[in-house]
Amino acid sequence: MSADYAARLGVACSADEVGEVIVDIICGDEATLERNLLLSYELYLYGSRHPGLKPVMQDWMARSQRALLRFFDLPTARALDVLIGGMMLHHAVDRTPASRQEIARLVQKIIRP
């Protein structure tokens, strides 16, 4: 998943294009989204119960943030990474998920405060 994430962000040439890719990731294909969510949350849960896996989780988060560091400072990259994870969950399970336009506005608030 992190390789796909980095590849998708890697084609962007500007902060605005990164913003569009982030919105695409959050609002992505339902089947892929559900599978990725399940795998990622299982990894979070398993990792939290097995401290030896903490470095795996840390490396995964660092890879995600590194993909964003091409265009943003570390606090912004972290904020975007957290937004992606949280919004993917909400987008998948919320009774009335945020629209693509609402998500794009949230991304822009972080990119262009």
Side-chain angles (χ1 to χ4, degrees), residues 3-69:
D4 178 60
Y5 184 91
R8 292 175 76 179
L9 290 168
V11 299
C13 295
S14 69
D16 287 332
E17 286 182 10
V18 170
E20 292 173 24
V21 171
I22 289 170
V23 174
D24 288 342
I25 289 170
I26 293 169
C27 298
D29 173 41
E30 297 272 335
T32 302
L33 194 68
E34 187 174 323
R35 179 182 175 277
N36 287 349
L37 277 174
L38 180 60
L39 290 172
S40 64
Y41 289 111
E42 285 177 347
L43 182 58
Y44 281 126
L45 179 61
Y46 192 79
S48 69
R49 293 181 186 259
H50 297 87
L53 286 178
K54 192 172 186 176
V56 173
M57 298 301 299
Q58 292 167 334
D59 289 346
W60 184 28
M61 289 187 290
R63 279 193 303 273
S64 298
Q65 291 171 17
R66 261 195 313 275
L68 294 162
L69 285 171

